């Protein structure tokens, strides 16, 4: 058990503990320093992760922890996204007496997501999902005196309780079939022989359990409520970061399944249903944060396309990571604008915004166009890779459904753009006082452009990543 293999995760844990101790003794006006500590912790974790990049792909800690391209690249995406969320939070949270504890919960939630992406053992996967969930529940309902926040937190908790139970049931059934929890041992045992009905039940239960963290059908219903009712930085976190870990965990798990298990059909069905439901529901939304929540649901459907063609296309895994990274940047940029505008939520409140807040309007438009997939923004290259590998993998019909859904999504994104650009109304714009949210908004907007311009280099960076066996 080489401790050096988990130094990034140890640094996150120690950083969260230090913040908890700091919060216990610091005065409220000093709690902003907890954000600095959290960012330093994430910076250290990123540095330690880069030191592992050149090492050979391997399983460590008795085979329960993966150090391969998928684990390391997804960890970097999660950490960078987490840093952006933390950086947009201080002005929003400064009046809360539990300001500092907020950052400790963020770090614990990040650790849970990283565990999900790196798990090569079903018990490790369960621990990661539970840690991510337990740290996220109080974040969703952090504004506990506001009814929508309580509703969002309760729906998130109840849906999580149900799906986490399903996940655990699937893990237990799989253990009963194979007598092992490690992925290599499970794959070896299943290749020899298995009970098809029991394996189908276990696989379906685990896929449904992970669909909660993905915000994919049928465990998606919490997402729009959380996007609308939780603090705006938390909404940014929960619409982006957990699904990165869940998507990688799902891809790693289904790669173990023998050919006679119809997991591709199950994932393809969930993909089509998720993207269609998310886009159709977003069409009728008059609340921007809720619209972004439904948009997040649809984006999960797109991500599942890469998992469907895993094993039939060599570039499926790189496409998955690249798409998740491009989506993370675009969605975080959109929520950075919402945060900067004090959580402005009603669609009517965005009328004429271009005249009063041109920078925020420009960044929001860029983020929405990136979510659609308009060049030269980074979202275009993410979707291009997805569509290419889906067609290459023999699922042209799935790519066609995704293209049709992309056209549908253009309508509701352009509704926001039209309100901001072409309305004669001059709204009263209230913004968060301070530089944290404004700086994060600008950095996120620049990443949309820079990521698009440097897409070829990023594609080469992710070109050879894969799973270790």
């Amino acid at each position: 058990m080489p401790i050096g293999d988990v130094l990034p995760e140890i640094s996150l844990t120690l950083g969260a503990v230090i913040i908890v101790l700091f919060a216990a003794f610091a005065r409220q006006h000093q709690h902003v320093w907890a954000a600095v500590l959290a960012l330093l912790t994430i910076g250290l974790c990123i540095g330690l992760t880069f030191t592992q990049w050149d090492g050979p792909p391997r399983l460590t800690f008795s085979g329960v922890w993966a150090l391969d391209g998928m684990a390391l690249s997804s960890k970097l995406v999660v950490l960078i996204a987490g840093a952006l969320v933390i950086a947009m939070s201080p002005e929003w949270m400064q009046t809360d007496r539990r300001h500092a504890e907020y950052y400790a919960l963020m770090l614990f939630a990040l650790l849970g997501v990283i565990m999900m992406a790196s798990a090569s053992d079903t018990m490790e996967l369960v621990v990661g999902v539970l840690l991510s969930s337990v740290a996220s529940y109080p974040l969703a309902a952090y504004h506990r005196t506001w009814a929508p926040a309580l509703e969002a937190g309760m729906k998130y908790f109840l849906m999580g309780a149900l799906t986490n139970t399903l996940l655990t049931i699937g893990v237990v059934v799989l253990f009963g079939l194979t007598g092992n929890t490690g992925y290599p041992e499970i794959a070896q045992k299943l290749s020899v022989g298995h009970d098809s009905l029991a394996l189908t039940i276990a696989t379906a239960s685990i896929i449904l359990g992970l669909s909660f963290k993905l915000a994919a059908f049928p465990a998606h219903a919490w997402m729009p409520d959380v996007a609308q009712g939780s603090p705006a930085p938390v909404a940014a976190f929960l619409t982006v970061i957990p699904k990165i870990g869940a998507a990688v965990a799902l891809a790693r798990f289904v790669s173990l399944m023998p050919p006679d298990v119809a997991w591709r059909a199950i994932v393809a069905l969930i993909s089509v249903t998720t993207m269609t439901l998310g886009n159709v529901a977003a069409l009728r939304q008059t609340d921007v944060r809720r619209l972004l929540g439904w948009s997040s649901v649809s984006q999960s459907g797109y991500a599942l396309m890469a998992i469907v063609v895993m094993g039939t296309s060599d570039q499926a895994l790189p496409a998955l990571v690249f798409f998740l990274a491009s989506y993370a940047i675009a969605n975080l940029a959109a929520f950075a604008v919402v945060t900067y505008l004090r959580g402005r939520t009603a669609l009517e409140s965005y009328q004429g915004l271009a005249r009063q807040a041109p920078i925020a309007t420009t960044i929001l438009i860029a983020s929405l166009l990136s979510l659609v997939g308009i060049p030269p923004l980074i979202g275009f290259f993410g979707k291009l890779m997805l569509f290419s590998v889906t067609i290459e993998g023999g699922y042209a019909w799935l790519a066609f459904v995704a293209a049709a859904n992309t056209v549908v999504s253009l309508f509701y994104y352009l509704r926001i753009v039209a309100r901001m650009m072409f309305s004669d109304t001059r709204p009263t714009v209230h913004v968060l006082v301070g530089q944290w949210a404004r700086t994060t908004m600008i950095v996120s907007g620049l990443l949309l452009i820079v990521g698009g311009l440097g897409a070829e280099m990023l594609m080469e960076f992710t070109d050879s990543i894969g799973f270790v066996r």
Side-chain angles (χ1 to χ4, degrees):
M1 292 189 179
I3 298 298
D5 288 346
V6 290
L7 275 181
E9 291 72 27
I10 291 175
S11 68
L12 272 185
T13 305
L14 293 178
V17 171
I18 290 171
I19 290 173
V20 170
L21 296 174
F22 172 79
F25 298 100
R27 297 181 182 274
Q28 186 177 344
H29 71 273
Q30 298 173 322
H31 282 194
V32 68
W33 288 102
V36 177
L37 289 173
L39 290 174
L40 290 174
T41 299
I42 290 177
L44 175 61
C45 190
I46 290 174
L48 292 171
T49 300
F50 272 116
T51 64
Q52 299 175 331
W53 191 265
D54 292 330
R58 63 193 186 280
L59 297 179
T60 185
F61 276 79
S62 302
V64 305
W65 191 261
L67 282 176
D68 52 23
M70 283 298 289
L72 295 176
S73 58
S74 59
K75 187 190 303 185
L76 290 174
V77 175
V78 166
L79 291 170
I80 293 170
L84 290 173
V85 171
I86 288 171
M88 72 175 74
S89 301
E91 287 105 0
W92 184 283
M93 303 299 299
Q94 64 184 349
T95 58
D96 197 299
R97 294 181 61 83
R98 303 160 302 149
H99 183 183
E101 289 97 324
Y102 166 86
Y103 301 105
L105 287 171
M106 280 283 182
L107 293 185
F108 282 127
L110 286 174
L111 179 60
V113 173
I114 290 171
M115 290 180 69
M116 290 163 57
S118 303
S120 185
D121 183 278
T122 53
M123 295 305 294
E124 191 80 12
L125 174 63
V126 170
V127 171
V129 170
L130 294 181
L131 177 57
S132 172
S133 298
V134 168
S136 299
Y137 295 149
L139 287 173
Y142 218 74
H143 295 330
R144 62 190 184 281
T145 58
W146 192 42
L150 291 178
E151 180 184 356
M154 184 57 68
K155 184 173 287 188
Y156 185 39
F157 170 73
L158 292 176
M159 189 72 69
L162 174 62
T163 53
N164 289 344
T165 301
L166 277 175
L167 174 67
T168 307
I169 289 172
V171 167
V172 170
V173 173
L174 191 60
F175 177 75
L177 279 172
T178 63
N180 287 282
T181 58
Y183 285 3
E185 293 81 9
I186 290 174
Q188 182 180 7
K189 186 72 174 181
L190 293 178
S191 66
V192 176
H194 56 271
D195 184 314
S196 297
L197 177 59
L199 182 57
T200 301
I201 292 173
T203 303
S205 296
I206 292 174
I207 291 175
L208 289 175
L210 289 173
S211 70
F212 164 67
K213 306 304 292 185
L214 269 167
F217 179 85
H220 65 283
W222 60 271
M223 177 58 79
D225 292 271
V226 167
Q228 180 184 16
S230 61
V234 175
F237 182 95
L238 294 178
T239 56
V240 170
I241 295 176
K243 69 178 56 185
I244 298 171
V248 176
L250 178 59
R252 197 183 294 275
F253 171 75
V254 296
S255 68
L256 309 175
M257 294 298 106
D260 62 325
V261 177
W263 64 266
R264 293 187 197 276
I266 296 174
V267 176
L269 178 61
I270 294 175
S271 173
V272 170
T273 307
T274 300
M275 68 174 75
T276 305
L277 180 62
N279 284 319
V280 171
L283 284 173
R284 55 189 294 270
Q285 299 303 315
T286 58
D287 183 287
V288 171
R289 289 174 63 179
R290 196 170 184 86
L291 184 150
L292 289 173
W294 280 113
S295 165
S296 177
V297 171
S298 71
Q299 299 291 334
S300 296
Y302 298 130
L304 290 172
M305 294 165 57
I307 298 177
V308 171
V309 296
M310 214 175 42
T312 61
S313 172
D314 294 336
Q315 292 298 304
L317 294 178
L320 175 62
V321 171
F322 193 91
F323 173 77
L324 290 172
S326 64
Y327 163 71
I329 293 172
N331 213 57
L332 289 176
F335 271 102
V337 174
V338 172
T339 303
Y340 175 68
L341 298 175
R342 292 180 178 266
R344 179 185 294 255
T345 185
L347 186 58
E348 291 77 9
S349 301
Y350 285 76
Q351 293 186 142
L353 188 66
R355 294 178 176 83
Q356 302 297 98
I359 295 177
T361 301
T362 302
I363 293 173
L364 182 55
I365 291 174
S367 67
L368 296 176
L369 294 180
S370 183
L371 289 171
V372 175
I374 303 297
L377 301 168
I378 190 171
F380 166 75
F381 299 97
K383 283 197 173 178
L384 179 64
M385 285 189 71
L386 268 188
F387 285 20
S388 298
V389 299
T390 303
I391 295 171
E392 179 188 342
Y395 282 78
W397 66 269
L398 183 56
F400 175 79
V401 173
N405 271 278
T406 300
V407 173
V408 172
S409 70
L410 189 61
F411 285 93
Y412 61 79
Y413 289 132
L414 289 181
R415 282 175 60 207
I416 304 176
V417 175
R419 293 291 181 100
M420 293 190 294
M421 296 296 296
F422 305 119
S423 175
D424 294 330
T425 304
R426 287 186 171 272
T428 302
V429 178
H430 299 284
V431 300
L432 289 175
V433 178
Q435 291 301 315
W436 285 85
R438 178 182 173 84
T439 302
T440 306
M441 177 184 70
I442 293 172
V443 169
S444 301
L446 290 175
L447 286 175
L448 288 172
I449 306 296
V450 174
L453 296 177
E456 185 175 355
M457 183 179 66
L458 292 174
M459 289 178 184
E460 292 177 359
F461 184 73
T462 60
D463 184 61
S464 60
I465 63 174
F467 290 140
V468 63
R469 300 297 181 189

